Amino acid sequence: MTSLMPFAHTVPLPAAPEGWVDVGHVVLMDGTIATTRSTIAGKDASVRITVFDGVAETEVLRLAGRDPAWWCLDRMADGRWLFYDPARPGQVQRVTPDGQEDGSLHVGEDFCAVQCAPDHTVWVGYYDQGIFAPEDEHGNPPVSAGGIVQFDADGRKSWAWNDTPPPVMGVDECYAMTLAGNVLWSSFYSSFPVACVRDHKPRTWCNTIDGARALAIEGEMVVMAGGYASEADRIAVLRLGHDSAECIGVGTFALPPSTEPLCLQGRDNIVHIITQQRWTRLSVRAAVEGVQQIEKADPIKP
């Protein structure tokens, strides 16, 4: 397969200042990157958040006395930040723009994806361990059993995929999730459909691309990035039809060495690839153009 990286836009990420280390990156609602950095000086631990727009980096938050394992999950529509704190499993910590803790959202354990929507809701996707976790002593399933769950700004569950009746395909594990405005898109184990939730109404398209870890959407076109084993560097471009998604072309992106971390995230109409101090953005339109040019240069022979 041919690389689609010539059709993407790549910029270097700012290096961490001396005494600080990067904990992780996340793409925000506005398409910028939030980087979590931590440091330990003696007994004092601090966490700082910077936002990078591809040109300039700005520090927006510094939290003293926090566990250096804290990391930023996303920023809400009202400017509050969501953090993961390993000391408080099952909860997401809210922090105001001026650094004050503002309660927490009980979203359950074993979540793998968190994204905030413009309508102030929070969408959470879960690993299979959370989805199939046992019921409590009263016979109630955990909130994570919903597979993909929408919460309001105060953490109340407002909708869950697995609460919808058959024949909607169930979520056994959320693999890829993105928001296009307030509309959620996903692909999940084990059927790996292209799935959409609009106004709490789910819809699915059958799909032949298994194991994608990120997706982006624009109109009827979908880009799915990642896959199993030898297809981990795959980028597939699909066109949505009435009830199925047709793959119109496949390319690749550059995987880092196995010892290097990789952040692969879809947000709206862009797939973001963050690794080795580089930030690559591949839009749906660029991916479509790329596979079309590849097909023209090397058409499939009958």
Side-chain angles (χ1 to χ4, degrees):
M1 290 186 287
T2 304
S3 174
L4 290 178
M5 291 302 90
F7 301 92
H9 179 64
T10 300
V11 296
L13 287 175
E18 184 176 355
W20 294 82
V21 295
D22 289 351
V23 176
H25 309 282
V26 66
V27 182
L28 302 176
M29 192 187 310
D30 62 1
T32 58
I33 285 184
T35 297
T36 306
R37 293 193 174 117
S38 67
T39 186
I40 300 178
K43 296 183 179 179
D44 297 326
S46 294
V47 172
R48 69 195 294 189
I49 303 297
T50 65
V51 172
F52 180 57
D53 63 4
V55 177
E57 182 181 42
T58 305
E59 180 177 316
V60 295
L61 197 63
R62 187 177 295 212
L63 305 172
R66 298 305 197 282
D67 186 327
W70 268 46
W71 79 75
C72 172
L73 297 167
D74 205 352
R75 182 170 59 190
M76 300 178 72
D78 61 9
R80 289 180 293 178
W81 295 88
L82 298 181
F83 282 86
Y84 171 73
D85 177 4
R88 291 181 267 193
Q91 299 182 54
V92 170
Q93 308 308 309
R94 271 188 323 221
V95 176
T96 63
D98 61 357
Q100 303 300 311
E101 288 197 42
D102 186 38
S104 61
L105 310 183
H106 180 73
V107 301
E109 298 188 44
D110 297 307
F111 58 84
C112 55
V114 175
Q115 287 199 14
C116 298
D119 64 3
H120 301 276
T121 62
V122 179
W123 288 87
V124 181
Y126 296 88
Y127 291 112
D128 56 355
Q129 297 98 317
I131 294 171
F132 296 103
E135 298 174 342
D136 64 19
E137 64 272 20
H138 304 293
N140 300 312
V143 66
S144 53
I148 297 172
V149 180
Q150 183 192 39
F151 298 89
D152 68 16
D154 294 318
R156 292 183 289 263
K157 186 177 86 168
S158 53
W159 190 86
W161 184 283
N162 285 347
D163 290 349
T164 57
V168 175
M169 301 176 186
V171 179
D172 294 330
E173 180 166 306
C174 180
Y175 267 50
M177 190 178 85
T178 191
L179 284 167
N182 295 318
V183 180
L184 177 115
W185 293 84
S186 181
S187 185
F188 46 77
Y189 186 83
S190 60
S191 300
F192 291 109
V194 175
C196 171
V197 182
R198 188 188 305 270
D199 298 327
H200 293 177
K201 297 175 182 176
R203 182 178 178 183
T204 59
W205 290 261
C206 295
N207 166 46
T208 59
I209 303 299
D210 291 350
R213 295 293 178 171
L215 79 163
I217 178 82
E218 184 166 353
E220 64 180 5
M221 305 307 298
V222 179
V223 171
M224 307 183 78
Y228 291 122
S230 63
E231 295 180 317
D233 63 349
R234 177 188 59 199
I235 294 178
V237 179
L238 302 93
R239 178 183 290 111
L240 298 178
H242 176 68
D243 56 8
S244 63
E246 176 193 5
C247 182
I248 66 167
V250 178
T252 63
F253 68 94
L255 281 175
S258 58
T259 55
E260 293 286 334
L262 169 66
C263 173
L264 188 61
Q265 182 182 348
R267 197 87 199 213
D268 199 353
N269 62 350
I270 296 176
V271 169
H272 300 262
I273 304 163
I274 307 169
T275 187
Q276 296 182 298
Q277 288 300 117
R278 296 193 300 271
W279 174 21
T280 297
R281 288 167 281 186
L282 179 67
S283 70
V284 173
R285 291 187 183 185
V288 171
E289 178 186 356
V291 297
Q292 288 175 341
Q293 291 195 22
I294 291 170
E295 173 63 20
K296 289 179 181 178
D298 187 20
I300 300 174
K301 303 296 190 298

